[in-house]
Amino acid sequence: MAERFRVALSGDFRKADGTPTYPSFDLSPLSADPRIETKWVDAADGAIPGDALEDCDALILLTPRFGPGSAPKSGRLALVARFGVGYDTVDLPTCDANGIALAITPDGVRRPVAVTIVTYVLALSQKLLIKDRLCRQGPEGWVRRGEFMGEGLVGKTFGQLGIGNIGAEALRLLAPFGMRMIAHDPYVDAAAAQALGVELVSSERLFAEADFLSVSVPLSEATRHYVNAARLATMKPTAFLINTARGPIVDQRALHEALASGRLAGAALDVFEVEPCPADEPILQLDNVIVTPHALCWTDECFAGNGAADIAAALAVMRGEAPRGVVNRDVLETEAFRAKLARCARLFG
């Protein structure tokens, strides 16, 4: 039997009955190619076990971890294609040590997450959830609607922490609303910021001047609890915080205290320090917070885009080419990874 290019998919892409969890993730480019064989791999204690990947060339990964025990001993695995842009669930040293490229899907999430940020800005400014509750209370609620006046956006200041892939797209989408745009990102130059119509400012100015402050930075040791009690204390009491990045970037206890005491007007959170968020989490009890289960951007558009990008990365490896969206780019020049690409090019290219 001819050798096949083997692609593993984490088991959470399918339901218990075998049907797709997310039908918009189109697997036909894999199933239609006779050179490709797919398999499902389930997590053990939250991580993909390495022995399940011994005969695999690529892994498309949703929520399980890829940890130190996930690298197969065979050395065959060339690619972990993460479904999304966050990769804090993937152990990069393990990938580097084993000649494995980690690819993410910036093109798939750029617009959907930016739309999520815009959704939060509009919902917070219009007091959407409060008015929804008033309406459901019948006449007693309706008579109170004048107590909860919304806020126009023209002239308000939108602050963006991080103007990479998603942050830049959010700024582009918000441009027609007539807001003043400021951002803090030490890795972006003035020309790129000017092209977006945004003023680069210090971190101190960002927190102090923003009416809406959106967090769009990766989670790292440098950004863990970057939004802390001290920085929250410098924000306007009328300001709103939006986090669509990773929960631990915000000190959730400090945020709860700021919201509960009225030092901050409100927040919108799609991510939390602990996920799934416990039902007794104090921040869930506040009525000035919009919360969603790390899924507001989960649309057919998002999942189709992420899936297409991950499949494209796997197919590139099969052809013997380096995929797009690789995080650990140094691994592409290693002897181990180049040997894997050469093997794929010889057999499938």
Side-chain angles (χ1 to χ4, degrees):
M1 182 177 178
E3 181 65 84
R4 289 189 177 184
F5 184 80
R6 293 187 174 88
V7 179
L9 298 104
S10 59
D12 48 344
F13 281 115
R14 64 173 179 173
K15 299 178 183 177
D17 62 3
T19 58
T21 308
Y22 309 108
S24 54
F25 178 15
D26 182 12
L27 293 173
S28 63
L30 301 179
S31 59
D33 193 323
R35 299 169 299 171
I36 299 175
E37 179 181 315
T38 60
K39 65 180 290 188
W40 303 98
V41 291
D42 294 317
D45 296 323
I48 298 294
D51 56 8
L53 300 173
E54 289 295 342
D55 59 347
C56 296
D57 299 288
L59 166 67
I60 298 179
L61 183 69
L62 187 54
T63 58
R65 299 190 312 277
F66 185 90
S70 299
K73 295 178 181 178
S74 66
R76 177 169 168 173
L77 188 70
L79 173 72
V80 173
R82 172 77 179 86
F83 201 85
V85 291
Y87 53 90
D88 47 295
T89 56
V90 178
D91 189 71
L92 273 178
T94 295
C95 291
D96 293 341
N98 290 275
I100 300 169
L102 167 63
I104 56 176
T105 60
D107 293 339
V109 302
R110 179 187 298 111
R111 175 59 64 89
V113 180
V115 167
T116 292
I117 294 169
V118 175
T119 300
Y120 280 148
V121 169
L122 296 176
L124 289 167
S125 65
Q126 302 299 320
K127 294 184 169 52
L128 178 64
L129 293 191
I130 295 172
K131 291 176 180 177
D132 174 89
R133 289 194 291 269
L134 291 178
C135 188
R136 295 172 191 275
Q137 292 169 10
E140 291 184 3
W142 281 63
V143 77
R144 299 183 59 214
R145 59 187 175 176
E147 300 173 25
F148 301 96
M149 193 66 66
E151 300 179 24
L153 298 180
V154 175
K156 292 292 195 301
T157 298
F158 178 78
Q160 181 62 54
L161 181 61
I163 51 175
N165 186 50
I166 292 168
E169 185 73 357
L171 290 164
R172 283 189 284 265
L173 293 180
L174 285 165
F177 289 95
M179 304 177 76
R180 172 186 174 232
M181 305 289 194
I182 61 174
H184 175 71
D185 192 325
Y187 303 104
V188 172
D189 60 33
Q194 185 176 14
L196 289 167
V198 61
E199 178 188 0
L200 285 178
V201 298
S202 66
S203 174
E204 291 77 13
R205 282 188 60 192
L206 182 79
F207 280 82
E209 298 177 18
D211 295 299
F212 298 87
L213 197 158
S214 171
V215 177
S216 299
V217 295
L219 176 62
S220 67
E221 287 310 307
T223 62
R224 186 177 296 275
H225 281 194
Y226 186 88
V227 182
N228 54 25
R231 289 191 169 99
L232 289 169
T234 68
M235 295 181 69
K236 301 174 184 178
T238 55
F240 300 95
L241 179 76
I242 296 169
N243 188 9
T244 59
R246 284 293 185 268
I249 297 168
V250 176
D251 182 337
Q252 198 161 298
R253 179 175 295 182
L255 177 61
H256 174 268
E257 292 176 358
L259 292 165
S261 66
R263 296 200 312 274
L264 198 64
L269 307 174
D270 193 47
V271 289
F272 302 87
E273 290 211 58
V274 175
E275 295 182 1
C277 194
D280 61 353
E281 163 57 45
I283 211 163
L284 301 183
Q285 314 309 315
L286 301 177
D287 61 7
N288 57 345
V289 184
I290 299 173
V291 291
T292 52
H294 202 156
L296 192 57
C297 79
W298 285 22
T299 61
D300 53 353
E301 177 186 28
C302 179
F303 274 58
N306 283 349
D310 277 343
I311 288 176
L315 295 179
V317 169
M318 185 177 74
R319 295 190 301 267
E321 302 169 2
R324 292 183 60 195
V326 173
V327 173
N328 54 339
R329 295 198 60 80
D330 288 347
V331 83
L332 301 180
E333 304 304 321
T334 63
E335 183 178 346
F337 182 76
R338 292 173 70 88
K340 295 173 186 180
L341 288 190
R343 171 186 171 275
C344 290
R346 183 175 69 253
L347 293 174
F348 313 112

mmCIF file of all heavy atoms in Angstrom, residues 13 27 124 136 214 231 246 256 262 269-270 282 285 301-302 307 309 335:
data_model
loop_
_atom_site.group_PDB
_atom_site.id
_atom_site.type_symbol
_atom_site.label_atom_id
_atom_site.label_comp_id
_atom_site.label_asym_id
_atom_site.label_seq_id
_atom_site.Cartn_x
_atom_site.Cartn_y
_atom_site.Cartn_z
ATOM 1 N N PHE A 13 -13.143 18.081 17.582
ATOM 2 C CA PHE A 13 -13.751 18.517 16.335
ATOM 3 C C PHE A 13 -14.950 17.649 15.940
ATOM 4 O O PHE A 13 -15.603 17.925 14.941
ATOM 5 C CB PHE A 13 -12.736 18.483 15.191
ATOM 6 C CG PHE A 13 -11.796 19.657 15.169
ATOM 7 C CD1 PHE A 13 -10.433 19.468 15.375
ATOM 8 C CD2 PHE A 13 -12.256 20.945 14.927
ATOM 9 C CE1 PHE A 13 -9.562 20.542 15.348
ATOM 10 C CE2 PHE A 13 -11.384 22.019 14.897
ATOM 11 C CZ PHE A 13 -10.032 21.820 15.108
ATOM 12 N N LEU A 27 -13.714 19.721 5.830
ATOM 13 C CA LEU A 27 -12.619 18.750 5.770
ATOM 14 C C LEU A 27 -12.468 18.116 4.392
ATOM 15 O O LEU A 27 -11.597 17.257 4.199
ATOM 16 C CB LEU A 27 -12.847 17.643 6.808
ATOM 17 C CG LEU A 27 -12.757 18.070 8.277
ATOM 18 C CD1 LEU A 27 -13.161 16.923 9.185
ATOM 19 C CD2 LEU A 27 -11.352 18.546 8.615
ATOM 20 N N LEU A 124 -21.978 48.087 24.982
ATOM 21 C CA LEU A 124 -21.682 48.842 26.198
ATOM 22 C C LEU A 124 -22.193 50.273 26.098
ATOM 23 O O LEU A 124 -22.818 50.796 27.034
ATOM 24 C CB LEU A 124 -20.175 48.846 26.458
ATOM 25 C CG LEU A 124 -19.552 47.520 26.909
ATOM 26 C CD1 LEU A 124 -18.035 47.585 26.807
ATOM 27 C CD2 LEU A 124 -19.975 47.161 28.327
ATOM 28 N N ARG A 136 -37.958 43.027 29.360
ATOM 29 C CA ARG A 136 -38.520 41.754 29.811
ATOM 30 C C ARG A 136 -39.315 41.890 31.114
ATOM 31 O O ARG A 136 -40.052 40.984 31.486
ATOM 32 C CB ARG A 136 -37.404 40.725 29.990
ATOM 33 C CG ARG A 136 -36.705 40.357 28.687
ATOM 34 C CD ARG A 136 -35.484 39.478 28.927
ATOM 35 N NE ARG A 136 -34.694 39.351 27.710
ATOM 36 C CZ ARG A 136 -34.920 38.457 26.752
ATOM 37 N NH1 ARG A 136 -35.924 37.602 26.883
ATOM 38 N NH2 ARG A 136 -34.152 38.399 25.681
ATOM 39 N N SER A 214 -9.550 48.391 24.652
ATOM 40 C CA SER A 214 -9.617 47.021 24.161
ATOM 41 C C SER A 214 -8.246 46.351 24.255
ATOM 42 O O SER A 214 -7.229 46.930 23.856
ATOM 43 C CB SER A 214 -10.093 47.021 22.705
ATOM 44 O OG SER A 214 -9.984 45.736 22.130
ATOM 45 N N ARG A 231 -3.038 50.047 37.095
ATOM 46 C CA ARG A 231 -3.428 50.631 35.798
ATOM 47 C C ARG A 231 -4.930 50.892 35.742
ATOM 48 O O ARG A 231 -5.376 51.894 35.186
ATOM 49 C CB ARG A 231 -2.975 49.721 34.655
ATOM 50 C CG ARG A 231 -1.455 49.716 34.446
ATOM 51 C CD ARG A 231 -1.051 49.040 33.154
ATOM 52 N NE ARG A 231 0.354 49.283 32.858
ATOM 53 C CZ ARG A 231 1.334 48.418 33.126
ATOM 54 N NH1 ARG A 231 1.048 47.248 33.696
ATOM 55 N NH2 ARG A 231 2.577 48.711 32.829
ATOM 56 N N ARG A 246 -6.710 37.098 26.100
ATOM 57 C CA ARG A 246 -6.578 35.977 27.029
ATOM 58 C C ARG A 246 -6.885 36.486 28.432
ATOM 59 O O ARG A 246 -6.469 37.588 28.819
ATOM 60 C CB ARG A 246 -5.166 35.351 26.992
ATOM 61 C CG ARG A 246 -4.898 34.479 25.773
ATOM 62 C CD ARG A 246 -5.764 33.235 25.806
ATOM 63 N NE ARG A 246 -5.482 32.288 24.741
ATOM 64 C CZ ARG A 246 -6.097 32.255 23.567
ATOM 65 N NH1 ARG A 246 -7.021 33.172 23.295
ATOM 66 N NH2 ARG A 246 -5.802 31.344 22.665
ATOM 67 N N HIS A 256 -12.762 43.092 39.143
ATOM 68 C CA HIS A 256 -14.013 42.962 39.891
ATOM 69 C C HIS A 256 -14.144 44.083 40.919
ATOM 70 O O HIS A 256 -15.206 44.702 41.062
ATOM 71 C CB HIS A 256 -14.087 41.595 40.572
ATOM 72 C CG HIS A 256 -15.275 41.449 41.473
ATOM 73 N ND1 HIS A 256 -15.227 41.744 42.831
ATOM 74 C CD2 HIS A 256 -16.548 41.061 41.223
ATOM 75 C CE1 HIS A 256 -16.417 41.542 43.362
ATOM 76 N NE2 HIS A 256 -17.238 41.124 42.415
ATOM 77 N N GLY A 262 -17.537 50.935 41.474
ATOM 78 C CA GLY A 262 -17.891 52.071 40.638
ATOM 79 C C GLY A 262 -16.707 52.853 40.130
ATOM 80 O O GLY A 262 -16.886 53.916 39.521
ATOM 81 N N LEU A 269 -16.169 40.934 28.593
ATOM 82 C CA LEU A 269 -15.135 39.902 28.686
ATOM 83 C C LEU A 269 -15.550 38.649 27.920
ATOM 84 O O LEU A 269 -16.593 38.073 28.185
ATOM 85 C CB LEU A 269 -14.884 39.526 30.147
ATOM 86 C CG LEU A 269 -14.585 40.666 31.126
ATOM 87 C CD1 LEU A 269 -14.520 40.124 32.553
ATOM 88 C CD2 LEU A 269 -13.282 41.364 30.746
ATOM 89 N N ASP A 270 -14.700 38.247 26.998
ATOM 90 C CA ASP A 270 -14.902 36.970 26.315
ATOM 91 C C ASP A 270 -13.936 35.921 26.848
ATOM 92 O O ASP A 270 -14.023 34.753 26.485
ATOM 93 C CB ASP A 270 -14.700 37.136 24.801
ATOM 94 C CG ASP A 270 -15.192 35.944 24.007
ATOM 95 O OD1 ASP A 270 -16.306 35.472 24.267
ATOM 96 O OD2 ASP A 270 -14.452 35.477 23.114
ATOM 97 N N PRO A 282 -17.203 35.732 41.075
ATOM 98 C CA PRO A 282 -17.838 36.990 41.500
ATOM 99 C C PRO A 282 -18.143 37.961 40.373
ATOM 100 O O PRO A 282 -19.157 38.664 40.407
ATOM 101 C CB PRO A 282 -16.822 37.575 42.491
ATOM 102 C CG PRO A 282 -16.090 36.384 43.026
ATOM 103 C CD PRO A 282 -15.994 35.427 41.877
ATOM 104 N N GLN A 285 -21.561 38.086 38.790
ATOM 105 C CA GLN A 285 -22.706 38.596 39.543
ATOM 106 C C GLN A 285 -22.950 40.088 39.303
ATOM 107 O O GLN A 285 -23.960 40.627 39.758
ATOM 108 C CB GLN A 285 -22.492 38.356 41.046
ATOM 109 C CG GLN A 285 -21.995 36.967 41.410
ATOM 110 C CD GLN A 285 -22.822 35.853 40.798
ATOM 111 O OE1 GLN A 285 -24.051 35.900 40.819
ATOM 112 N NE2 GLN A 285 -22.150 34.834 40.261
ATOM 113 N N GLU A 301 -18.124 32.058 9.602
ATOM 114 C CA GLU A 301 -17.009 32.722 8.926
ATOM 115 C C GLU A 301 -15.687 32.419 9.627
ATOM 116 O O GLU A 301 -14.681 32.098 8.980
ATOM 117 C CB GLU A 301 -17.260 34.227 8.912
ATOM 118 C CG GLU A 301 -16.132 35.050 8.307
ATOM 119 C CD GLU A 301 -16.361 36.549 8.456
ATOM 120 O OE1 GLU A 301 -17.039 36.964 9.424
ATOM 121 O OE2 GLU A 301 -15.858 37.301 7.612
ATOM 122 N N CYS A 302 -15.686 32.509 10.953
ATOM 123 C CA CYS A 302 -14.467 32.273 11.725
ATOM 124 C C CYS A 302 -13.979 30.835 11.578
ATOM 125 O O CYS A 302 -12.807 30.582 11.302
ATOM 126 C CB CYS A 302 -14.723 32.601 13.193
ATOM 127 S SG CYS A 302 -13.308 32.339 14.273
ATOM 128 N N GLY A 307 -10.323 26.812 9.676
ATOM 129 C CA GLY A 307 -10.158 25.478 9.118
ATOM 130 C C GLY A 307 -9.413 25.498 7.803
ATOM 131 O O GLY A 307 -8.510 24.678 7.565
ATOM 132 N N ALA A 309 -7.295 27.717 6.785
ATOM 133 C CA ALA A 309 -5.893 28.075 7.021
ATOM 134 C C ALA A 309 -5.103 26.883 7.559
ATOM 135 O O ALA A 309 -3.955 26.648 7.153
ATOM 136 C CB ALA A 309 -5.812 29.245 7.991
ATOM 137 N N GLU A 335 17.721 21.171 10.753
ATOM 138 C CA GLU A 335 17.920 19.963 9.955
ATOM 139 C C GLU A 335 16.740 19.005 10.107
ATOM 140 O O GLU A 335 16.303 18.378 9.132
ATOM 141 C CB GLU A 335 19.221 19.285 10.385
ATOM 142 C CG GLU A 335 19.565 18.047 9.577
ATOM 143 C CD GLU A 335 20.893 17.430 9.993
ATOM 144 O OE1 GLU A 335 21.663 18.113 10.706
ATOM 145 O OE2 GLU A 335 21.142 16.262 9.626
#
